Amino acid sequence: MMDQLEKTASIGIVLPKLFPFPQSKPEQMISSLLTILEDPFFTAVEVSYMADKEARELARKHMQYSCVEIIFNGGDAFRELQIDVSSLDQLIRKESIKKCHMLIDHCYEMGAKIMHIVTGKFEGEERKQQNIQAFIASAMELCKYAKEKAQTEKYELCISLEIGDRHVDRKYLLGPTHEAVNVARIIRSEYNNFGLLLDQSHLPIMGEDPHKSLWLAKDYLTHIHIGNSYIKDRQARYFGDKHIPFGVKDSEVGVAELTEFITTLREIDFFKSPKPTRKPVITFEVGCLEDESPKLVIANIKRTFFEAWANA
């Protein structure tokens, strides 16, 4: 089973979700990064914004030495740096693009193959089309900048839009998968270094059928996030897009759902179609529920994944 996995995909983890760290303590980030890099189960890692240049250089050194695929998690960086690339305020959008250029530079510094981004907030139906046009213009600028910064034809950073919920928790502009696919089609017609990131844990919050969403987005998928969410009770502190571990009572994703998800990934040829990375990447975006140790969460991820992968 593991032979088949190693031939098929790289398995990663979103570092800042499991190990949040303040920018003032980059040594915390390095130590948590090493926890992942020293575990041969993980062959990919998603890092996010690191303000400290020395920390970025050290992270790059460790990641290169570990031979992992590197992805840059823009969702966390966008929230931290207050980036809104779908804003109708030209100053905000211009400043956001400038910050994104800096992040793209960081991606090349560290050797990240994909930088995923998110839209700004959904501002209502009457502004939706304008916001979408603003996002398309921004995304094209980022793809163009990423191409200009590429040192070699073999390695060009891919910009990937992470799809999220519009009405429940994150309240992103994009949004429903079919709308994100239309946007991706427009951008991809001019820039081949653009794609989509689907997160399994977002789909229940978006009220979407994972099977249908994967089929809709199949031609644009750069990589996949796997995780769990909870929508049964709005009063629960982990309601919505909190990336809780698997097995939480009444949560949306367990072994059965993950098995179906992997089965659909096989059906849409996700594991066979070319990607920006050496092999297709599946990344776990899972954090701690309370104050349990991250190592326990890692064990939770592995047990759930191994069973689902074996059944799919």
Side-chain angles (χ1 to χ4, degrees), residues 187-252:
I187 299 167
R188 183 77 75 83
S189 69
E190 290 197 37
Y191 291 96
N192 61 355
N193 60 331
F194 184 82
L196 297 175
L197 160 61
L198 229 66
D199 185 323
Q200 182 190 19
S201 69
H202 293 174
L203 297 171
I205 310 169
M206 293 160 67
E208 291 192 10
D209 172 345
H211 185 75
K212 283 182 187 163
S213 300
L214 285 170
W215 272 96
L216 273 173
K218 72 182 179 70
D219 296 334
Y220 302 97
L221 294 173
T222 56
H223 67 304
I224 288 289
H225 274 181
I226 282 176
N228 190 12
S229 54
Y230 178 90
I231 52 174
K232 293 279 190 303
D233 175 11
R234 276 185 174 272
Q235 302 312 309
R237 60 179 179 75
Y238 46 85
F239 171 83
D241 183 25
K242 302 296 186 293
H243 295 284
I244 56 177
F246 298 102
V248 174
K249 189 177 186 301
D250 290 334
S251 59
E252 294 300 312

Side-chain angles (χ1 to χ4, degrees), residues 11-67:
I11 305 298
I13 198 156
V14 175
L15 192 72
K17 200 62 76 191
L18 186 56
F19 298 98
F21 75 98
Q23 293 292 350
S24 57
K25 295 187 175 168
E27 67 281 357
Q28 272 187 23
M29 185 278 302
I30 294 295
S31 121
S32 58
L33 177 62
L34 285 171
T35 302
I36 297 304
L37 298 181
E38 287 165 0
D39 184 341
F41 171 74
F42 295 109
T43 46
V45 66
E46 280 192 32
V47 292
S48 194
Y49 173 55
M50 301 173 210
D52 187 88
K53 189 168 171 42
E54 282 181 19
R56 287 198 305 276
E57 284 173 2
L58 192 54
R60 179 188 65 87
K61 207 166 99 181
H62 288 323
M63 290 187 291
Q64 281 189 342
Y65 186 75
S66 308
C67 301

Side-chain angles (χ1 to χ4, degrees), residues 126-137:
E126 63 288 347
R127 302 180 75 171
K128 184 177 86 171
Q129 284 317 121
Q130 284 173 282
N131 285 127
I132 287 175
Q133 289 311 313
F135 173 75
I136 289 170

Side-chain angles (χ1 to χ4, degrees), residues 84-253:
D84 182 354
V85 287
S86 55
S87 175
L88 299 182
D89 181 320
Q90 287 308 313
L91 275 176
I92 292 175
R93 200 168 77 82
K94 199 176 167 189
E95 193 54 37
S96 293
I97 287 169
K98 199 171 143 193
K99 289 173 184 171
C100 286
H101 286 173
M102 171 192 75
L103 295 178
I104 289 169
D105 292 345
H106 288 187
C107 286
Y108 278 115
E109 264 181 54
M110 292 189 287
K113 300 280 179 62
I114 301 168
M115 171 171 131
H116 64 75
I117 62 175
V118 290
T119 63
K121 299 287 185 194
F122 176 61
E123 296 177 1
E125 283 297 329
E126 63 288 347
R127 302 180 75 171
K128 184 177 86 171
Q129 284 317 121
Q130 284 173 282
N131 285 127
I132 287 175
Q133 289 311 313
F135 173 75
I136 289 170
S138 300
M140 285 189 175
E141 283 191 57
L142 301 187
C143 291
K144 181 172 184 270
Y145 184 80
K147 279 184 175 290
E148 286 166 358
K149 282 283 166 175
Q151 303 285 313
T152 143
E153 284 178 23
K154 283 182 182 170
Y155 165 37
E156 186 176 87
L157 181 70
C158 178
I159 306 295
S160 182
L161 168 65
E162 181 174 20
I163 304 169
D165 74 274
R166 182 179 275 172
H167 298 294
V168 182
D169 189 354
R170 295 286 186 200
K171 300 184 179 171
Y172 289 131
L173 169 66
L174 292 169
T177 302
H178 68 279
E179 289 188 33
V181 166
N182 288 337
V183 165
R185 192 175 291 122
I186 293 164
I187 299 167
R188 183 77 75 83
S189 69
E190 290 197 37
Y191 291 96
N192 61 355
N193 60 331
F194 184 82
L196 297 175
L197 160 61
L198 229 66
D199 185 323
Q200 182 190 19
S201 69
H202 293 174
L203 297 171
I205 310 169
M206 293 160 67
E208 291 192 10
D209 172 345
H211 185 75
K212 283 182 187 163
S213 300
L214 285 170
W215 272 96
L216 273 173
K218 72 182 179 70
D219 296 334
Y220 302 97
L221 294 173
T222 56
H223 67 304
I224 288 289
H225 274 181
I226 282 176
N228 190 12
S229 54
Y230 178 90
I231 52 174
K232 293 279 190 303
D233 175 11
R234 276 185 174 272
Q235 302 312 309
R237 60 179 179 75
Y238 46 85
F239 171 83
D241 183 25
K242 302 296 186 293
H243 295 284
I244 56 177
F246 298 102
V248 174
K249 189 177 186 301
D250 290 334
S251 59
E252 294 300 312
V253 181

Side-chain angles (χ1 to χ4, degrees), residues 264-280:
T264 305
L265 287 174
R266 291 193 203 280
E267 288 168 4
I268 62 169
D269 280 340
F270 172 78
F271 299 112
K272 289 179 181 166
S273 52
K275 299 285 183 292
T277 43
R278 293 194 303 272
K279 284 185 290 187

